[in-house]
Amino acid sequence: MIKTTMERLTSRCPIYDTVQQLLHSECGIRSAEEYAGTEKKAVVLDIGKYQARIYRSALELPAEWDKLAGGGRVFLSRNYLLAWEEALPGRMQIAYVVMEHLGKALGIAALQVIDFRVSDALPRWSWLNVGVRVLVCGAAQVSGPFGFAFAPEIKAEEQSHLLQHVLERMRKRLNARAILVKDLPASAHQVLQSGLGAKGYVPFHFEPNMIVEVDPGWHTQEDFLEAMTSKYRVRARRAFRKGESLGCRSLTLADLYGYQERMHELYSAVADRADFSLVRLQPGYFSRLKSAFGASFKVIGYFDGDELVGFCSVLRSGGTAEVHFLGFDEAYNESAQLYLNMLLACIRTGIEDFGSRQIVLGRTATVIKSSVGGCPEPQKVWLKHANPFVQTLLPRIVAFLQPPAENMQVLRHPFGTD
């Protein structure tokens, strides 16, 4: 009897049956100024000398949250978190923890609970119908360390100890089987990362965050281009010429409402081509961000006549411009060099509109991002499973599922070292 495709594939994987059994799942925007008086009584957990107050909506968070998050971490701000809640993806729940001592808030943690399924996140493993409920410390939808923050007076060793206790308590409370601490840069949180390793968390390296450091002398896009070597400057100008076949303009809030379904279609087309997708956006996400952040959130649309064929977005985060989600019709990518034009438009927005010192391009497509000045910032993801046997298999499981990374040796250097 001829085996089915799925049977042939699973028979080649010695850990499939174990994973199948052991990882099965258990499974109108308001501004920050309007939060006054909306705080509700939180659930309180005692953690040693600390108390952890648990909230289930950003609308309920105390004012101390934004003070601890800091002005330069937009994805930890109450404004962003509430906008995210308004368009929360399916199979996701959220929770926020404020850590206190003697009534003073000293730390915060933004948590997400995801019923992760391999078949949804990894198109190439669509036959692998296994899943696990994961507690994520951070933002699954973006790259970067946006899971926690502490007051300056809390020593690194105490931060590590406290965060680990909070995560384990919340894992049990929210019926998760695994904990994922997301996107810690190799150069930061070293004591915390050592502590995670000592407690059995397994580190994994995924694609690095690609970051453009803005020279203080760059005030316009032309300054940025003039800093490039001739080869890359010519390449950028060629992309501009090809892009002239399309109309291009910033989208207003009314536009975002009007093009909501089309934008979701274009975003989904890109997401469907991705090797890995932990979460999927819901329609209306971009209009909610625009309502929450106004001029600090830019969406640039590309048109063939009256038809929207692509868009990109940039969110100001203090002195950083965070290049956010995009979408485009692949048919226009070669003829108009649409993706490269989008990257250059996001960089122009960061330099000219936001006056940013740093432009975060995100992970994936590392080679083309390096060609516009992006430099890799390695990050680690730390993972721990509640089942000791599964925990021992984690390195093999992740290596089995992990998408192939681009070769870092072929990265470009447009400012003079190629």
Side-chain angles (χ1 to χ4, degrees):
M1 181 177 179
I2 299 175
K3 291 184 177 182
T4 66
T5 301
M6 180 175 174
E7 289 172 333
R8 289 197 304 271
L9 288 169
T10 56
S11 67
R12 297 173 188 170
C13 175
I15 62 173
Y16 174 84
D17 290 335
T18 302
V19 176
Q20 176 75 23
Q21 296 173 22
L22 295 176
L23 292 187
H24 192 274
S25 290
E26 298 175 350
C27 310
I29 303 301
R30 301 180 65 180
S31 67
E33 290 74 14
E34 296 179 274
Y35 286 158
T38 63
E39 299 162 15
K40 298 180 181 179
K41 185 175 180 181
V43 174
V44 180
L45 300 178
D46 289 321
I47 302 177
K49 65 179 182 180
Y50 293 90
Q51 286 187 321
R53 295 185 179 273
I54 304 168
Y55 301 87
R56 300 310 298 267
S57 171
L59 195 62
E60 304 169 3
L61 293 173
E64 289 84 358
W65 181 278
D66 279 330
K67 294 178 183 177
L68 288 168
R73 305 183 73 186
V74 69
F75 294 116
L76 258 181
S77 70
R78 290 185 296 170
N79 236 15
Y80 176 80
L81 294 172
L82 186 55
W84 176 246
E85 288 176 27
E86 292 285 340
L88 202 66
R91 296 201 304 273
M92 177 183 284
Q93 301 173 37
I94 48 87
Y96 310 108
V97 180
V98 177
M99 292 159 269
E100 299 179 348
H101 179 55
L102 300 177
K104 182 181 179 182
L106 297 173
I108 58 174
L111 309 177
Q112 300 173 339
V113 181
I114 302 174
D115 288 319
F116 172 82
R117 301 207 70 79
V118 172
S119 56
D120 292 334
L122 292 155
R124 64 198 180 98
W125 298 110
S126 58
W127 50 271
L128 190 55
N129 188 31
V130 297
V132 60
R133 172 166 267 210
V134 181
L135 176 68
V136 178
C137 180
Q141 69 277 19
V142 295
S143 298
F146 303 113
F148 59 89
F150 287 91
E153 61 265 30
I154 305 300
K155 295 181 179 179
E157 293 82 359
E158 189 71 359
Q159 293 181 24
S160 177
H161 175 77
L162 183 54
L163 184 64
Q164 289 176 48
H165 276 275
V166 165
L167 292 179
E168 186 58 32
R169 292 286 294 274
M170 292 300 294
R171 182 194 68 77
K172 295 176 180 177
R173 186 177 186 85
L174 297 172
N175 297 316
R177 296 294 296 157
I179 300 172
L180 182 73
V181 182
K182 198 170 170 290
D183 297 344
L184 300 184
S187 60
H189 310 296
Q190 293 178 347
V191 173
L192 171 59
Q193 298 194 69
S194 296
L196 292 173
K199 288 294 184 180
Y201 285 78
V202 178
F204 301 103
H205 295 271
F206 289 90
E207 290 175 299
N209 220 359
M210 299 299 288
I211 299 174
V212 177
E213 298 292 343
V214 177
D215 188 284
W218 298 347
H219 303 292
T220 66
Q221 185 179 67
E222 191 61 28
D223 295 333
F224 164 76
L225 294 174
E226 286 300 318
M228 288 181 163
T229 60
S230 175
K231 171 184 174 181
Y232 291 96
R233 185 165 57 251
V234 168
R235 185 170 180 262
R237 296 196 191 282
R238 185 186 304 119
F240 291 151
R241 288 194 297 273
K242 287 192 173 185
E244 288 174 356
S245 62
L246 301 177
C248 174
R249 62 179 174 86
S250 292
L251 301 184
T252 65
L253 180 59
D255 289 329
L256 297 179
Y257 282 122
Y259 291 113
Q260 178 172 294
E261 294 303 324
R262 177 57 174 163
M263 291 178 67
H264 188 68
E265 179 183 338
L266 292 169
Y267 154 76
S268 297
V270 173
D272 289 343
R273 294 192 294 269
D275 290 324
F276 181 83
S277 181
L278 190 55
V279 296
R280 289 293 186 98
L281 298 183
Q282 297 296 302
Y285 173 72
F286 298 99
S287 59
R288 285 174 169 84
L289 280 194
K290 189 66 174 177
S291 294
F293 291 99
S296 291
F297 180 58
K298 298 277 189 179
V299 182
I300 302 165
Y302 293 82
F303 294 84
D304 183 357
D306 294 329
E307 182 184 10
L308 181 69
V309 298
F311 72 91
C312 55
S313 60
V314 192
L315 181 60
R316 189 206 306 260
S317 179
T320 298
E322 297 276 355
V323 176
H324 210 36
F325 291 102
L326 55 77
F328 60 90
D329 186 333
E330 181 68 25
Y332 292 87
N333 197 28
E334 182 176 353
S335 62
Q337 289 202 300
L338 190 48
Y339 185 67
L340 179 55
N341 269 296
M342 286 180 174
L343 289 178
L344 292 167
C346 289
I347 291 172
R348 183 205 60 77
T349 298
I351 294 172
E352 296 185 6
D353 297 342
F354 296 163
S356 303
R357 300 185 301 272
Q358 189 180 72
I359 301 169
V360 178
L361 302 178
R363 56 167 56 113
T364 73
T366 54
V367 174
I368 190 170
K369 287 175 180 176
S370 72
S371 75
V372 295
C375 296
E377 180 187 62
Q379 299 180 123
K380 288 182 181 179
V381 174
W382 294 83
L383 183 62
K384 184 178 182 180
H385 198 280
N387 184 296
F389 181 58
V390 176
Q391 178 71 16
T392 63
L393 293 177
L394 278 182
R396 296 180 65 190
I397 294 171
V398 172
F400 172 65
L401 298 176
Q402 190 170 333
E406 291 193 58
N407 185 356
M408 293 295 107
Q409 295 181 346
V410 300
L411 295 185
R412 310 307 183 195
H413 303 280
F415 300 119
T417 57
D418 267 9

